[in-house]
């Protein structure tokens, strides 16, 4: 059986699995109902935080503007709009992989196998998709917006790798205005001396963040800005689905007292207030930042390969370092795993094996409770993220193109 027929079989099986899972995805309201509720609030001129109550809106004011067309589309019917949302997310996933195929391997990505091009069943594309499949399923199960934002971040990374710094910075700034986590790229760009990209990211992020004032008026906009921090803090549980370094520190140094982390309850877990948690969190974050600063130097070499690797490291760090990193956020690891996949397969395949062992048992869809919950309480996905970050830094430091300016 030749390679093309093998890819056809893999694509056929994948299509069946996606269509089967999609029936479950579109039946759930997930977080999509929050986007619709926020959009309806914008359309009727309500307060985008107070009118929605606790947990109704944790996003910045700029995000609310994009929910208005979602609310309009929802009037066609809940099942119709949710189906459209799932389809849109799958399109964005394809675009993410297409951009990476072009930037990392210099090849086109097509829907079907063909000579001289990749398909989603090509090993270079399939491996990162398989390793992040559990996060993708969780993302679509909750009808999240992460793939849309990840597409913007990936566009920015690929533009930077192509030498189009202003365009790359603009995409990253736009993503940072939608969700705070990509904002880590802005200090990184200035640290690396990519001034045009850093300025473009800062300007676009600032303009987009202030643009709601044109719709709401300055007085209401400033009221929204004042209300946002408290709203954003809602629901920062330290239980298993939160795989941030802070939550890991809480489970080990706070609530779990190291040895008891695995037996923590499945439901919501608040902060303990134990000062040891902040000490451990601070030490781990400091170690990660120092490691990145040592490897990613301000005057280090800058080319397509180093840009892709460094930006993959920053993307991974942005997921881990914040106080909140829900399980489905880690779908973003598809980017660094695509960038590093070929090098890891050739030089360190054991990393991929460890990643699979850390990731797959954490999925309640693959492993029954309580093992999946124990795996999350032990921060297995957090350690997987740290391993990816370490792999990025190792690849950056050992790359032949990293030597010299």
């Amino acid at each position: 059986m030749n390679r093309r027929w093998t890819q056809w079989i893999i694509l056929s099986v994948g299509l069946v699995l996606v269509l089967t899972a999609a029936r479950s995805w579109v039946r759930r309201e997930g977080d999509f109902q929050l986007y619709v509720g926020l959009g309806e609030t914008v359309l009727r001129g309500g307060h985008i935080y107070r009118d929605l109550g606790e947990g109704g809106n944790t996003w910045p004011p700029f995000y609310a503007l994009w929910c208005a067309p979602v609310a309009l589309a929802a009037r066609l019917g809940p099942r119709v709009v949710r189906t459209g949302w799932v389809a849109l997310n799958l399109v964005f996933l394809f675009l993410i992989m297409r951009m990476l195929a072009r930037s990392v391997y210099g090849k086109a990505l097509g829907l079907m196998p063909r000579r001289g091009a990749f398909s989603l069943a090509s090993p270079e594309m399939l491996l990162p998709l398989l390793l992040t499949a559990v996060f993708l399923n969780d993302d679509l199960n909750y009808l999240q917006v992460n793939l849309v934002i990840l597409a913007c971040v990936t566009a920015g990374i690929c533009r930077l790798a192509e030498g189009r710094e202003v365009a790359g910075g603009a995409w990253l700034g736009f993503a940072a205005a939608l969700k705070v986590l990509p904002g880590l790229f802005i200090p990184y760009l200035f640290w690396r001396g990519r001034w045009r990209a850093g300025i473009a990211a800062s300007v676009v992020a600032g303009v987009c963040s202030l643009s709601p004032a044109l719709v709401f008026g300055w007085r209401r906009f400033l009221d929204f800005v004042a209300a946002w921090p408290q709203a954003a803090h809602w629901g920062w549980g330290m239980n298993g689905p939160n795989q941030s370094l802070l939550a890991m520190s809480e489970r080990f140094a706070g609530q779990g007292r190291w040895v008891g982390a695995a037996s923590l309850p499945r439901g919501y877990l608040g902060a303990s207030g134990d000062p040891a948690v902040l000490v451990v969190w601070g030490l781990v974050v400091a170690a990660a930042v120092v490691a990145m600063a040592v490897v990613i130097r301000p005057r280090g070499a800058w080319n397509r390969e180093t840009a892709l690797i460094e930006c993959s490291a920053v993307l991974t760090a942005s997921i881990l370092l914040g106080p909140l990193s829900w399980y489905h956020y880690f779908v973003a690891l598809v980017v660094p795993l695509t960038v590093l996949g070929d090098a890891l397969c050739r030089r360190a395949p054991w990393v991929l094996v460890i990643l699979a062992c850390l990731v797959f048992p954490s999925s309640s869809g693959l492993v029954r409770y309580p093992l999946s919950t124990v795996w999350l309480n032990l921060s297995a996905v957090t350690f997987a993220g740290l391993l990816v970050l370490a792999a990025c830094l190792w690849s950056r430091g050992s790359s032949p193109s990293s030597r010299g300016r």
Side-chain angles (χ1 to χ4, degrees), residues 2-204:
N2 62 34
R3 183 172 179 176
R4 187 172 298 183
W5 275 106
T6 302
Q7 291 188 22
W8 273 110
I9 293 173
I10 294 173
L11 287 172
S12 300
V13 172
L15 180 61
V16 171
L17 291 175
V18 168
L19 291 177
T20 303
R23 296 178 59 188
S24 171
W25 296 337
V26 300
R27 280 200 298 263
R28 296 190 56 163
E29 292 184 339
D31 283 2
F32 192 74
Q33 63 176 332
L34 302 178
Y35 310 154
V36 174
L38 176 55
E40 289 289 355
T41 303
V42 172
L43 293 174
R44 70 169 182 266
H47 196 290
I48 62 174
Y49 296 108
R50 284 199 294 266
D51 289 2
L52 294 170
E54 288 189 341
N57 178 19
T58 59
W59 302 283
F62 179 61
Y63 186 83
L65 298 182
W66 293 90
C67 290
V70 173
L72 290 173
R75 295 173 183 178
L76 297 173
R79 185 66 65 89
V80 172
V81 74
R82 289 202 292 266
T83 301
W85 183 252
V86 168
L88 181 66
N89 273 268
L90 292 174
V91 169
F92 274 109
L93 176 62
F94 178 79
L95 293 176
I96 289 167
M97 301 309 294
R98 188 173 186 176
M99 287 185 283
L100 291 172
R102 176 68 67 183
S103 291
V104 178
Y105 295 101
K107 289 193 175 184
L109 175 66
L111 291 172
M112 308 297 179
R114 69 178 191 270
R115 189 178 301 276
F118 284 153
S119 74
L120 291 178
S122 299
E124 296 85 351
M125 302 288 102
L126 183 61
L127 180 61
L129 287 172
L130 287 177
L131 287 173
T132 56
V134 294
F135 308 128
L136 176 63
N137 178 69
D138 198 64
D139 185 85
L140 292 171
N141 206 31
Y142 286 96
L143 301 176
Q144 276 283 332
V145 72
N146 295 315
L147 288 174
V148 179
I149 297 173
L150 182 60
C152 297
V153 172
T154 305
I157 292 173
C158 292
R159 298 303 179 275
L160 288 174
E162 295 164 3
R164 299 165 59 186
E165 294 196 6
V166 174
W171 275 111
L172 293 172
F174 180 76
L178 286 172
K179 197 163 190 172
V180 175
L181 295 181
L184 185 61
F185 279 94
I186 295 177
Y188 156 74
L189 291 171
F190 285 115
W191 168 261
R192 283 295 273 119
R194 316 318 299 180
W195 302 107
R196 290 187 299 165
I199 292 171
S202 301
V203 170
V204 171

Side-chain angles (χ1 to χ4, degrees), residues 57-383:
N57 178 19
T58 59
W59 302 283
F62 179 61
Y63 186 83
L65 298 182
W66 293 90
C67 290
V70 173
L72 290 173
R75 295 173 183 178
L76 297 173
R79 185 66 65 89
V80 172
V81 74
R82 289 202 292 266
T83 301
W85 183 252
V86 168
L88 181 66
N89 273 268
L90 292 174
V91 169
F92 274 109
L93 176 62
F94 178 79
L95 293 176
I96 289 167
M97 301 309 294
R98 188 173 186 176
M99 287 185 283
L100 291 172
R102 176 68 67 183
S103 291
V104 178
Y105 295 101
K107 289 193 175 184
L109 175 66
L111 291 172
M112 308 297 179
R114 69 178 191 270
R115 189 178 301 276
F118 284 153
S119 74
L120 291 178
S122 299
E124 296 85 351
M125 302 288 102
L126 183 61
L127 180 61
L129 287 172
L130 287 177
L131 287 173
T132 56
V134 294
F135 308 128
L136 176 63
N137 178 69
D138 198 64
D139 185 85
L140 292 171
N141 206 31
Y142 286 96
L143 301 176
Q144 276 283 332
V145 72
N146 295 315
L147 288 174
V148 179
I149 297 173
L150 182 60
C152 297
V153 172
T154 305
I157 292 173
C158 292
R159 298 303 179 275
L160 288 174
E162 295 164 3
R164 299 165 59 186
E165 294 196 6
V166 174
W171 275 111
L172 293 172
F174 180 76
L178 286 172
K179 197 163 190 172
V180 175
L181 295 181
L184 185 61
F185 279 94
I186 295 177
Y188 156 74
L189 291 171
F190 285 115
W191 168 261
R192 283 295 273 119
R194 316 318 299 180
W195 302 107
R196 290 187 299 165
I199 292 171
S202 301
V203 170
V204 171
V207 170
C208 290
S209 298
L210 293 174
S211 64
L214 301 176
V215 178
F216 302 122
W218 281 103
R219 179 172 296 180
R220 296 187 68 215
F221 170 68
L222 293 175
D223 184 28
F224 294 160
V225 171
W228 175 45
Q230 183 176 358
H233 193 268
W234 183 88
W236 283 9
M238 299 297 151
N239 46 312
N242 184 358
Q243 290 289 301
S244 68
L245 290 173
L246 176 59
M248 180 189 74
S249 303
E250 178 65 59
R251 289 193 290 270
F252 282 107
Q255 304 277 5
R257 289 298 180 184
W258 305 106
V259 295
S263 60
L264 289 171
R266 186 179 186 181
Y268 179 83
L269 183 69
S272 64
D274 192 325
V277 173
L278 294 180
V279 172
V280 172
W281 182 44
L283 290 174
V284 176
V285 169
V289 171
V290 169
M292 292 179 68
V294 168
V295 175
I296 303 175
R297 299 179 182 179
R299 298 183 62 82
W302 180 266
N303 50 54
R304 182 187 61 83
E305 182 182 359
T306 57
L308 287 169
I309 296 172
E310 289 181 12
C311 288
S312 295
V314 175
L315 175 60
T316 306
S318 71
I319 303 168
L320 293 168
L321 299 185
L324 189 64
S325 298
W326 293 125
Y327 186 78
H328 44 71
Y329 286 13
F330 288 82
V331 70
L333 294 184
V334 73
V335 174
L337 289 175
T338 304
V339 171
L340 301 177
D342 183 61
L344 291 177
C345 286
R346 288 186 292 104
R347 301 165 64 189
W350 55 270
V351 172
L352 301 175
V353 174
I354 294 175
L355 278 175
C357 293
L358 288 172
V359 167
F360 292 137
S362 68
S363 171
S364 58
L366 295 177
V367 178
R368 289 181 176 271
Y369 172 82
L371 179 58
S372 60
T373 299
V374 168
W375 219 240
L376 289 175
N377 283 338
L378 291 174
S379 302
V381 175
T382 311
F383 287 114

